[in-house]
Amino acid sequence: MKKTKLTLKDVALQLGVSTATISNAFNRPDQLSASKREEILSQCKKIGYSGPNKAAQILRKGKSNIVALVLADSISYMVSDPVASTFIKGVSGALQKEGKHLLLYPGDSKSILDVVDFVDGFICYGAPRNAMLVDELAVTPKPIVTVDFDIDDKPSINIDNEEAAFEVADHALNEGDNLAIFGLRLIDSPSTCRIYDNPLIGVESSISHRRLDGYLRAAKAKNVNVSRERIWHLPESERSFARQAAKELLTSSPRPNVVLCMSDIIALELLHLALDMGIKVPEELRITGFDGIEESQRTRPTLTTVCQSSAAKGENAALVLLQAVSGKTILPFEMRRGETV
């Protein structure tokens, strides 16, 4: 038989006290003596009452102490990515210090309206796969901070992706090089492929396009030509997609001698496959990554990459939200000169 949920009035009647006494025991302990509060809580536990309805409290007070972290993609994919998981740890740690709770919300969800009434604000990490969420976030009355992309006048946390990409590409390239680029989410395709003449997506907002801009600017400065058939689109920074692109590139003729990769995960998969095929790195193939994950320095040869602190990004995003800081925050990056260039 289905149990009827106890109301505050039901509990007060059973315990022979006022509804205010029950409410104080759960929400305002300073209004009762320690012994009286303990007695009330103990009796409530026995009858299966866990306190006033939290959802009703949130709607009444307009505050939940919960912050929603809207991810770029599904939760399962994002928590398995070392960059995203480090960012999540940074956000979680900063919120916990302030007595706040974190709600992970997937970027492939249909709408933020499911949770908007129950959270105090939003941190949006990367442009969500469902672009409709961006439209909803742009007009929500709740505080919002974006990370790795911008929404109009909302505060944001970024690094200078174009300049970072330019610096690492400028270091890797020499005049006359045969260049290829492994990009992320450059076109609307679920598969690894070259971009050819396909229309680019998210050109104005995507950090992938800022990195592409930096790579192409460095190539132009070194008089290195790169055609669209030498630019690969990978739908995710995931090893299986990277391996598919790497196999195609390493068996192409003529084979590129420099590959600029938009993540360390992609670069490391390319590096491992090249070494397995007996290709000398960096003598025959130079490779750069982006992010500075720990694995990039444990591999041999070590990876030349752009290092950014994902944990610091997360901490900054949480503090900007909680402190209602406005404007755009640009965090520093560092180019790490490894052994793949």
Side-chain angles (χ1 to χ4, degrees):
M1 182 180 293
K2 185 176 180 181
K3 293 181 66 176
T4 302
K5 184 175 177 63
L6 290 169
T7 66
L8 186 63
K9 186 179 292 186
D10 294 333
V11 176
L13 287 172
Q14 286 194 42
L15 271 57
V17 297
S18 68
T19 56
T21 299
I22 304 294
S23 180
N24 286 338
F26 283 95
N27 302 313
R28 293 176 292 277
D30 57 306
Q31 300 296 307
L32 302 173
S33 67
S35 60
K36 183 64 174 177
R37 179 172 185 260
E38 183 60 35
E39 177 190 345
I40 295 293
L41 294 179
S42 176
Q43 291 183 45
C44 285
K45 184 177 181 180
K46 287 180 181 178
I47 64 175
Y49 181 69
S50 57
N53 185 281
K54 295 297 182 183
Q57 285 184 331
I58 291 169
L59 291 173
R60 185 172 64 253
K61 297 178 180 179
K63 186 176 181 181
S64 65
N65 287 327
I66 299 172
V67 172
L69 175 55
V70 181
L71 302 170
D73 215 313
S74 67
I75 292 176
S76 59
Y77 168 61
M78 297 298 287
V79 298
S80 65
D81 178 81
V83 179
S85 62
T86 302
F87 174 84
I88 293 170
K89 288 178 183 177
V91 173
S92 178
L95 291 178
Q96 189 173 19
K97 288 179 182 178
E98 301 298 326
K100 309 295 182 182
H101 306 289
L102 178 64
L103 169 69
L104 296 183
Y105 199 71
D108 55 0
S109 299
K110 291 184 178 180
S111 173
I112 65 165
L113 299 181
D114 295 336
V115 298
V116 68
D117 290 334
F118 304 102
V119 300
D120 295 339
F122 293 90
I123 296 171
C124 191
Y125 179 50
R129 183 172 286 276
N130 180 4
M132 293 297 294
L133 299 187
V134 177
D135 297 332
E136 293 179 346
L137 290 166
V139 298
T140 180
K142 297 292 179 74
I144 175 174
V145 176
T146 64
V147 181
D148 286 346
F149 82 113
D150 292 313
I151 296 180
D152 297 333
D153 298 326
K154 305 295 185 182
S156 65
I157 309 290
N158 291 285
I159 67 167
D160 190 336
N161 280 277
E162 180 177 343
E163 185 59 29
F166 173 83
E167 287 190 18
V168 74
D170 185 66
H171 172 63
L173 289 170
N174 298 316
E175 189 167 351
D177 279 334
N178 185 344
L179 171 63
I181 296 172
F182 279 1
L184 276 169
R185 287 196 187 176
L186 297 175
I187 62 175
D188 186 14
S189 173
S191 305
T192 296
C193 60
R194 306 189 203 200
I195 66 172
Y196 293 116
D197 294 327
N198 292 293
L200 302 177
I201 59 171
V203 174
E204 297 301 321
S205 60
S206 167
I207 61 170
S208 293
H209 287 290
R210 300 294 75 75
R211 293 176 188 179
L212 182 60
D213 290 342
Y215 292 156
L216 296 179
R217 180 157 61 91
K220 184 177 180 180
K222 292 292 180 72
N223 294 314
V224 173
N225 179 57
V226 54
S227 67
R228 288 171 69 103
E229 69 175 21
R230 287 299 200 180
I231 302 175
W232 271 258
H233 154 84
L234 281 71
E236 295 178 4
S237 180
E238 201 269 337
R239 295 182 192 277
S240 62
F241 293 113
R243 177 161 283 262
Q244 182 180 345
K247 286 180 178 179
E248 186 176 334
L249 178 139
L250 294 175
T251 55
S252 63
S253 181
R255 186 179 67 213
N257 69 320
V258 181
V259 186
L260 307 174
C261 302
M262 289 192 186
S263 82
D264 288 348
I265 294 293
I266 295 171
L268 290 170
E269 197 64 27
L270 173 62
L271 172 61
H272 295 152
L273 184 58
L275 295 177
D276 288 345
M277 294 173 62
I279 299 171
K280 296 179 181 178
V281 179
E283 294 85 356
E284 298 176 290
L285 179 65
R286 280 168 267 148
I287 301 171
T288 69
F290 206 109
D291 289 324
I293 64 175
E294 291 183 10
E295 187 183 348
S296 68
Q297 295 309 293
R298 292 199 300 266
T299 192
R300 289 295 179 271
T302 57
L303 184 64
T304 295
T305 187
V306 171
C307 297
Q308 57 175 328
S309 175
S310 295
K313 264 188 180 178
E315 292 164 4
N316 273 270
L319 294 177
V320 164
L321 184 76
L322 296 177
Q323 298 171 7
V325 177
S326 59
K328 311 298 183 184
T329 302
I330 303 297
L331 298 180
F333 66 85
E334 176 189 358
M335 187 185 75
R336 181 181 289 157
R337 299 182 180 222
E339 299 164 343
T340 56
V341 171

